[in-house]
Amino acid sequence: MKKNKISKNWLIKQKKDSFFIQSKIYGYRSRSAFKLIEMNKKFKFLKKNSSLLDLGSSPGGWSQVARKEIIKGKILALDIKFMEKIGNVDFIQGDFSEKEIYKKIFSYFNNKIDVVLSDMAANTTGSKMIDSYRTGELCLNAMKLAKEILNPDGVFLSKIFMGSVYEEINEKAKKYFKKIVKYKPLSSKKESKEIYIFCKGILKI
Ligand SMILES: C[S@@+](CC[C@H](N)C(=O)[O-])C[C@H]1O[C@@H](n2cnc3c(N)ncnc32)[C@H](O)[C@@H]1O
């Protein structure tokens, strides 16, 4: 199928998608916002004083949801792509795995934090295997960062794709965290291999 036709079909599907429609009604920048709303209903981890890092934040749906729930805590959003300003959310543009950006994150909070979110996804290549591998690598690196920056009872919530790195992510998560739950929100498209891993409480090694 030609690229134009694929994007036209994608647009038609999107317009029929109830979460896409709701995101427009409620003023969310992405339909992904509903995934975080749903996961917070289930796990109840966004508290009014939480400090939170949102990795892969653009266009900003998750940061909007976090800001609604977190009234006093600091929120830092980060993405390679630019993100339009959200009130009381600070933003760093850059690749989170670069040393300089890593340092900026730590000096921004200057303390341990409560929540690390990662909805990061690597750019699609056309190969589902490569995409799931690269997104899995992002999750593994985000998990490493989370382990360093989180409070002892902190929460790490990340997108993963069922695929080659899945087992490795599972094993690492078991080493790092006390509680691990895998969850697919209703708002995550059925045809997508995406699921989320919710981890809570750092294990002392
Ligand atoms: C699915 S989108 C996130 C949607 C967002 N949660 C929302 O609700 O609007 C995935 C994002 O991950 C970002 N990303 C991918 N690799 C990254 C990296 N190494 N560092 C920072 N952001 C990255 C992409 O630029 C993209 O904007």
Side-chain angles (χ1 to χ4, degrees):
M1 215 187 295
K2 286 216 173 96
K3 212 175 172 191
N4 276 353
K5 200 160 180 191
I6 296 174
S7 36
K8 208 172 158 194
N9 286 344
W10 181 84
L11 212 71
I12 293 167
K13 264 192 183 167
Q14 277 289 86
K15 284 187 176 160
K16 284 185 187 160
D17 179 281
S18 76
F19 289 107
F20 176 78
I21 296 166
Q22 283 188 67
S23 65
K24 298 289 154 218
I25 295 171
Y26 291 103
Y28 288 120
R29 294 180 185 176
S30 64
R31 74 185 288 295
S32 300
F34 292 98
K35 299 177 196 168
L36 185 60
I37 291 172
E38 194 183 329
M39 290 189 280
N40 188 44
K41 248 186 207 154
K42 181 166 174 63
F43 300 113
K44 299 183 178 53
F45 62 97
L46 298 175
K47 307 273 162 58
K48 66 172 187 222
N49 290 318
S50 303
S51 42
L52 177 143
L53 171 65
D54 180 10
L55 295 170
S57 58
S58 289
W62 279 27
S63 284
Q64 288 177 301
V65 173
R67 188 69 278 169
K68 276 193 181 168
E69 299 294 327
I70 299 172
I71 296 150
K72 288 184 184 163
K74 271 175 131 182
I75 300 181
L76 178 64
L78 187 145
D79 203 293
I80 294 177
K81 291 184 200 148
F82 176 70
M83 187 180 92
E84 295 280 347
K85 177 80 187 143
I86 296 173
N88 292 324
V89 172
D90 291 305
F91 176 68
I92 293 176
Q93 184 167 7
D95 182 335
F96 91 104
S97 58
E98 279 174 16
K99 250 193 185 159
E100 278 313 302
I101 302 289
Y102 224 79
K103 275 192 205 156
K104 278 189 187 171
I105 295 172
F106 280 82
S107 70
Y108 172 84
F109 287 109
N110 195 27
N111 226 325
K112 297 274 181 186
I113 66 172
D114 305 301
V115 182
V116 174
L117 304 176
S118 169
D119 198 23
M120 285 187 291
N123 282 339
T124 47
T125 59
S127 155
K128 286 200 170 149
M129 217 172 81
I130 295 174
D131 295 346
S132 91
Y133 176 81
R134 290 173 59 204
T135 298
E137 288 289 308
L138 288 172
C139 171
L140 281 171
N141 288 331
M143 194 184 285
K144 235 160 76 192
L145 187 156
K147 193 183 167 287
E148 283 177 48
I149 204 170
L150 280 175
N151 281 323
D153 60 348
V155 163
F156 172 61
L157 173 69
S158 175
K159 184 205 286 293
I160 50 176
F161 286 112
M162 301 298 289
S164 54
V165 197
Y166 179 78
E167 276 313 316
E168 196 180 336
I169 292 170
N170 243 333
E171 288 311 307
K172 272 263 157 63
K174 278 190 224 159
K175 270 192 196 154
Y176 290 172
F177 298 98
K178 292 179 187 161
K179 177 181 173 183
I180 301 153
V181 184
K182 262 99 64 202
Y183 187 71
K184 181 155 177 92
L186 286 173
S187 42
S188 170
K189 291 178 179 162
K190 274 196 196 109
E191 65 270 26
S192 160
K193 288 202 164 177
E194 159 195 271
I195 61 164
Y196 287 84
I197 183 165
F198 174 88
C199 309
K200 186 172 164 60
I202 308 286
L203 280 172
K204 285 185 192 137
I205 301 174

